[in-house]
Amino acid sequence: MDTKKIMNLRDCHVFNPVDIYFGRGVREKILEKLSNANILVVLSKSGKERFLHDKHFKEIQNTNRLSWIDNVESNPSLETINDNINYIKETEFDYIIGFGGGSAIDTAKAISVGIAAKQLQVSLDKIIEEPAIQNTLKVSKFIAIPTTFGTGSEVTSFATVWDKKNFKKLSLFGPKVYPTFAVVDPDLATSSPNEILLTTGLDAINQAFESIWNNNATFLSNLYATKAIALGVNALKKLLLENNKNFLSDMAESSLLAGLAIAQTRTALCHSISYPLTAKLDIPHGLACAFSMIEVCKFNLEVDDGRLTQLKNNLGTDDLVKMITNFLSEVGFADHFKQYCDDIQKISSLSSEMYNPSRAGNNMRNANIDDINLILERSADHW
C-alpha cells in the first residue's frame, strides 16, 4: 500500500457555498425565506401539480408573485432551455426554484444562468463554451428542492444539458451554477415509483464510487463517499425489495453526501462511458453508469494505492467487486437494463465516443479506447 499517497489525500482545498436544509418536512423551512418576492418556479407538468397541492407550499403561493416554467423534460435539451430563456420576458427574479429530479434542477440552473446572461446579450451556448464569462453575471438566488435522490445537483456547481441534435452531453459549470439553498426533504420522494428509485439510487451510489477512484479525491470527499455508499446500498435494497419507505431518509442522505463528494472531485470513467448510452440509446443515466461499474472497479483495483482497500474495510466486505456484483443482482439491474438495450454490439459501436477527457481523465487509472472496449466486453458478460 502506498501510504504516502493516502496521506496526500489530506492536502486539499474544500469549498461549497450551498446552505443546506435536510430532514423530513424541512421544506416548510423555506417559507421563512420567501415573502413578497418575485419567484420563477421551474419544474415538469407533473411537478407543478405536486407543488400546487403541497400544503407546505401554500404560503409561498399566497404571499409571493410566481412565474412558471413547467415543461422540464428528462435529459433536458439545450434547445428547449434556450426557448424557455427567450420566453421569459422578465430578467430579474428574487428567487428561482428548481423543483423535481435532477433534470428539473439542472434545467433551472441553466435557466438561472441563461436569464442573467440575457441581460448582457450573451447566449447560454456561449457560457457553456466559455465558463469564465459567468464571473460578470448577476444571478438570482437559487433554491434547489429535489424530489428524487440521485444526482446531488442541489449541492454542485454543474448542470448537465444535452445537445440532442448532435447527440452530445454538455456541461454547464462554474461558481454561479451553485444553488443558494438546498432543501432536501425525504418526504418528497414518498410516491416515487421503483423505476425512479432504482435509476436515481444507482446514480448516487455510482457517483460515490467514482469520487473515491478519482484523481481529485481527498480525505473529506472519501468520508462523504464512503458513508454515501454504506447508506445507499442498504437503503436502495430496503426500498425496492421491502417497499420500506422509512429508508427514504437514508437514500436522501446518501444522495446528498455523494453530491458533496463529486462537488469536489467530479465523476470519472463510468460516467464517461455512460454518456453515449444515454444520448444515443436513451438508457436512463443511473442504469448507464452502473452498467460498467463492476469492471471499472476491477480496472482500478489493479492500481489501488490503498484507498479501495480502505473502502472495502470501511464497508465491512472482503471483496469489493463481489459486493457490487451482489448488490446489482439483488436490485434487479440486468432486467431493467435489458428493457432499454440487450445488444452488446449497439453498446460497443459507441466506444469511440466514450472517452470524455473531463470525466475519464479523473479516473485514478489512465484508460484508453482499448481499455474501454475491454471493459464493455466484460461488463456485457455480467448481464
Side-chain angles (χ1 to χ4, degrees):
M1 182 187 301
D2 185 347
T3 54
K4 183 177 181 181
K5 187 156 187 180
I6 290 292
M7 290 297 292
N8 283 345
L9 292 178
R10 295 185 176 273
D11 299 335
C12 63
H13 170 248
V14 176
F15 172 75
N16 195 303
V18 183
D19 197 354
I20 301 169
Y21 292 81
F22 180 92
R24 300 186 68 173
V26 77
R27 61 193 184 281
E28 189 173 7
K29 295 278 188 182
I30 205 63
L31 298 177
E32 301 168 5
K33 305 290 180 185
L34 306 177
S35 181
N36 195 29
N38 188 22
I39 301 170
L40 174 65
V41 187
V42 180
L43 29 57
S44 66
K45 291 191 184 303
S46 60
K48 185 175 182 179
E49 288 298 311
R50 292 189 64 190
F51 192 96
L52 289 172
H53 292 94
D54 190 304
K55 64 180 182 179
H56 293 283
F57 296 138
K58 291 295 183 183
E59 192 67 20
I60 293 177
Q61 299 168 50
N62 293 335
T63 61
N64 298 277
R65 302 180 305 281
L66 301 188
S67 300
W68 303 88
I69 289 177
D70 62 358
N71 63 349
V72 167
E73 56 193 355
S74 180
N75 302 321
S77 71
L78 181 61
E79 182 179 22
T80 301
I81 290 170
N82 277 327
D83 286 345
N84 283 323
I85 292 168
N86 293 329
Y87 168 78
I88 292 292
K89 303 303 180 186
E90 293 189 69
T91 57
E92 292 189 12
F93 293 94
D94 298 309
Y95 295 91
I96 294 177
I97 296 176
F99 179 84
S103 292
I105 293 174
D106 283 359
T107 297
K109 285 179 170 182
I111 288 172
S112 174
V113 172
I115 289 173
K118 185 179 177 181
Q119 296 179 47
L120 301 181
Q121 298 184 325
V122 176
S123 70
L124 180 63
D125 307 54
K126 188 69 172 176
I127 298 288
I128 291 172
E129 292 173 7
E130 300 181 36
I133 297 175
Q134 283 181 54
N135 296 333
T136 64
L137 302 183
K138 181 182 178 182
V139 297
S140 303
K141 291 181 179 180
F142 184 89
I143 302 171
I145 309 178
T147 62
T148 64
F149 305 117
T151 69
S153 185
E154 67 272 13
V155 289
T156 69
S157 62
F158 32 88
T160 295
V161 297
W162 298 86
D163 178 353
K164 294 192 175 179
K165 290 182 178 178
N166 297 302
F167 301 101
K168 288 184 178 180
K169 175 260 182 190
L170 304 173
S171 184
L172 171 68
F173 64 92
K176 300 300 176 76
V177 185
Y178 274 115
T180 312
F181 303 101
V183 181
V184 184
D185 188 336
D187 286 344
L188 287 170
T190 300
S191 60
S192 291
N194 279 3
E195 181 74 11
I196 297 299
L197 290 172
L198 175 66
T199 57
T200 57
L202 288 177
D203 188 15
I205 291 163
N206 182 259
Q207 285 175 350
F209 276 106
E210 293 263 86
S211 178
I212 290 175
W213 56 55
N214 197 301
N215 288 329
N216 304 310
T218 70
F219 80 98
L220 186 58
S221 65
N222 278 3
L223 286 174
Y224 287 148
T226 301
K227 184 67 171 178
I229 293 166
L231 283 170
V233 166
N234 183 58
L236 195 56
K237 288 190 292 187
K238 292 290 186 181
L239 288 166
L240 296 177
L241 304 180
E242 301 177 15
N243 194 33
N244 190 335
K245 300 299 185 182
N246 291 327
F247 283 86
L248 282 172
S249 291
D250 282 3
M251 196 67 247
E253 185 178 347
S254 171
S255 176
L256 177 62
L257 291 170
L260 288 168
I262 63 165
Q264 304 302 320
T265 65
R266 302 203 174 209
T267 51
L269 188 54
C270 289
H271 276 68
S272 182
I273 289 170
S274 79
Y275 295 138
L277 297 180
T278 297
K280 296 288 183 68
L281 301 179
D282 290 325
I283 298 172
H285 178 64
L287 295 178
C289 290
F291 172 74
S292 63
M293 190 156 61
I294 295 169
E295 290 302 323
V296 169
C297 182
K298 288 182 182 178
F299 180 75
N300 286 321
L301 276 167
E302 292 183 18
V303 297
D304 181 28
D305 57 10
R307 75 183 88 166
L308 294 179
T309 298
Q310 189 174 66
L311 173 64
K312 179 187 72 172
N313 294 336
N314 289 339
L315 294 175
T317 180
D318 295 328
D319 187 331
L320 205 54
V321 171
K322 186 177 180 181
M323 189 208 89
I324 296 171
T325 303
N326 289 344
F327 162 66
L328 291 176
S329 177
E330 287 179 80
V331 298
F333 169 81
D335 288 340
H336 285 84
F337 188 87
K338 288 174 182 177
Q339 290 178 21
Y340 296 92
C341 182
D342 60 359
D343 186 348
I344 185 57
Q345 296 305 317
K346 286 184 180 179
I347 294 172
S348 298
S349 69
L350 300 174
S351 64
S352 63
E353 303 173 44
M354 290 179 175
Y355 186 87
N356 181 317
S358 66
R359 295 295 178 266
N362 295 331
N363 201 66
M364 65 187 288
R365 180 181 177 185
N366 291 333
N368 56 36
I369 295 299
D370 289 338
D371 295 321
I372 289 174
N373 277 317
L374 188 58
I375 286 169
L376 294 178
E377 179 184 330
R378 291 177 173 173
S379 294
D381 288 341
H382 292 288
W383 316 119

